[in-house]
Amino acid sequence: MFDEQWTIQAVSDWGNWQLEPYVHDQDERQAQIDYLLTGMLDWNYSQLANNANTILEDDLRLRFMVAVDAIKGGQPVQYALGHAAFYGREFQVDRRVLIPRQETEELVDWVLRDHPKATTQSVLDIGTGSGAIAVTIAAERPTWDVTASDISSEALEVAQANAKQYAPQVGFLQSDLFENIKGQYDVIISNPPYIAEDERAVMDESVLNFEPEQALFAEDQGLAIYEAIAPELLAHLKPNGEAYFEIGYQQGPALVDLFSQLPATQVTLQQDMSGHDRMLKVARRG
């Protein structure tokens, strides 16, 4: 395909040169290049560093160049690569779904800590997007009955592809919140849209230009989806069941007040690794 062979180091240097006018911070630029190369090669960072003089195959070199062009056009590196790391697995992502993030890994970790492997649970993931939460839960707890829902049929296509790879037992429903949900669950999880419209000015342009708005923004200062979920939550949560939500770091007090109005519930606010209020649990008493 190409007339000459390039080592991984040469390809990395080329990517650095190409991206310099677009990604000005050198550390960030190299991080994106290394992310692309490790993702394409299915290597860890130590393998990448130890194989700098290895010749990169032509098809991978072409794929790398196409991905660099996509980043030059403003795409997030995960979209350019076509997948994103989440809880030790690589999830397919594109512009139909949000890129899964570290805060959501912490939400999943909280659920798994609260519910050890010996238990069997029925789980509902509302607004599944790429399926990162539902598929991870089902892969980590194979005996659990996990259902994932989303209002977007396009997002469900991505989630189903990810489930096929890691946890084919996950069930899927197209639903606007609880609209098509029947029955009750032991665990309900949701990472809903929670960004307020007036936060656009401080957001990264790549997020605004490429990630789906429907999965990002909510009315009433980002609280609208929680306000829609709260009145119906107990109808779908079993006695002694627990609901877990990812939240915006400024929304803790308002959401504790909202969910504390539900009868016979206990609300717990949880901080992320950075010390911000980013998760909330609503436990229904038996």
Side-chain angles (χ1 to χ4, degrees), residues 75-80 82-86 90-101 125 127-133 135 148-163 172 191 193 206-216:
Q75 278 198 38
V77 63
Q78 294 90 342
Y79 286 164
H83 53 87
F86 186 84
E90 290 292 329
F91 282 77
Q92 296 180 39
V93 292
D94 57 34
R95 296 181 66 171
R96 293 173 290 178
V97 297
L98 290 184
I99 298 166
R101 289 169 168 83
D125 175 23
T128 196
S130 68
I133 291 176
V135 172
S149 70
D150 203 288
I151 191 173
S152 167
S153 59
E154 292 186 334
L156 287 172
E157 290 174 0
V158 179
Q160 287 170 322
N162 285 316
F172 291 93
N191 175 21
S206 67
V207 175
L208 291 172
N209 292 337
F210 289 93
E211 299 199 51
E213 287 201 4
Q214 187 180 42
L216 290 169

Side-chain angles (χ1 to χ4, degrees), residues 7-20:
T7 64
I8 288 173
Q9 184 61 58
V11 168
S12 177
D13 291 343
W14 177 87
N16 225 309
W17 169 63
Q18 287 286 311
L19 290 178
E20 186 173 4

Side-chain angles (χ1 to χ4, degrees), residues 80-150:
L81 179 60
H83 53 87
F86 186 84
Y87 217 84
R89 298 175 180 87
E90 290 292 329
F91 282 77
Q92 296 180 39
V93 292
D94 57 34
R95 296 181 66 171
R96 293 173 290 178
V97 297
L98 290 184
I99 298 166
R101 289 169 168 83
Q102 181 179 351
E103 293 85 359
T104 311
E105 289 187 335
E106 295 183 48
L107 180 68
V108 168
D109 208 38
W110 191 11
V111 175
L112 295 176
R113 288 198 313 270
D114 280 358
H115 301 272
K117 292 182 179 180
T119 63
T120 300
Q121 305 287 329
S122 57
V123 180
L124 173 66
D125 175 23
I126 300 173
T128 196
S130 68
I133 291 176
V135 172
T136 300
I137 292 286
E140 295 291 324
R141 301 286 189 267
T143 62
W144 288 13
D145 181 11
V146 179
T147 300
S149 70
D150 203 288

Side-chain angles (χ1 to χ4, degrees), residues 8-260:
I8 288 173
Q9 184 61 58
V11 168
S12 177
D13 291 343
W14 177 87
N16 225 309
W17 169 63
Q18 287 286 311
L19 290 178
E20 186 173 4
Y22 304 90
V23 183
H24 301 299
D25 184 87
Q26 183 176 356
D27 291 339
E28 174 60 23
R29 193 163 64 244
Q30 190 62 55
Q32 294 200 22
I33 291 166
D34 290 349
Y35 187 91
L36 284 178
L37 288 170
T38 54
M40 290 177 181
L41 293 162
D42 195 22
W43 285 358
N44 59 40
Y45 288 98
S46 294
Q47 289 173 301
L48 185 65
N50 292 332
N51 289 276
N53 293 320
T54 298
I55 299 297
L56 191 66
E57 296 175 3
D58 284 353
D59 60 334
L60 290 175
R61 178 179 158 194
L62 178 60
R63 184 181 169 199
F64 177 82
M65 291 177 168
V66 170
V68 167
D69 278 343
I71 295 171
K72 287 163 62 175
Q75 278 198 38
V77 63
Q78 294 90 342
Y79 286 164
L81 179 60
H83 53 87
F86 186 84
Y87 217 84
R89 298 175 180 87
E90 290 292 329
F91 282 77
Q92 296 180 39
V93 292
D94 57 34
R95 296 181 66 171
R96 293 173 290 178
V97 297
L98 290 184
I99 298 166
R101 289 169 168 83
Q102 181 179 351
E103 293 85 359
T104 311
E105 289 187 335
E106 295 183 48
L107 180 68
V108 168
D109 208 38
W110 191 11
V111 175
L112 295 176
R113 288 198 313 270
D114 280 358
H115 301 272
K117 292 182 179 180
T119 63
T120 300
Q121 305 287 329
S122 57
V123 180
L124 173 66
D125 175 23
I126 300 173
T128 196
S130 68
I133 291 176
V135 172
T136 300
I137 292 286
E140 295 291 324
R141 301 286 189 267
T143 62
W144 288 13
D145 181 11
V146 179
T147 300
S149 70
D150 203 288
I151 191 173
S152 167
S153 59
E154 292 186 334
L156 287 172
E157 290 174 0
V158 179
Q160 287 170 322
N162 285 316
K164 184 177 181 180
Q165 184 173 4
Y166 297 119
Q169 72 272 28
V170 175
F172 291 93
L173 285 172
Q174 186 172 1
S175 181
D176 183 359
L177 302 180
F178 291 116
E179 184 178 40
N180 296 324
I181 303 299
K182 309 298 182 185
Q184 293 184 314
Y185 295 83
D186 296 299
V187 177
I188 294 175
I189 315 170
S190 185
N191 175 21
Y194 57 72
I195 300 175
E197 284 289 338
D198 59 13
E199 294 182 66
R200 287 179 181 268
V202 297
M203 292 177 65
D204 191 288
E205 284 190 10
S206 67
V207 175
L208 291 172
N209 292 337
F210 289 93
E211 299 199 51
E213 287 201 4
Q214 187 180 42
L216 290 169
F217 296 100
E219 296 180 354
D220 194 14
Q221 290 300 301
L223 300 175
I225 305 301
Y226 304 104
E227 292 168 343
I229 288 174
E232 297 187 67
L233 181 62
L234 297 188
H236 296 280
L237 190 63
K238 291 181 180 180
N240 297 313
E242 295 174 323
Y244 298 78
F245 300 95
E246 184 173 324
I247 66 174
Y249 72 96
Q250 296 178 310
Q251 296 173 334
L255 291 178
V256 168
D257 181 64
L258 173 68
F259 286 105
S260 293

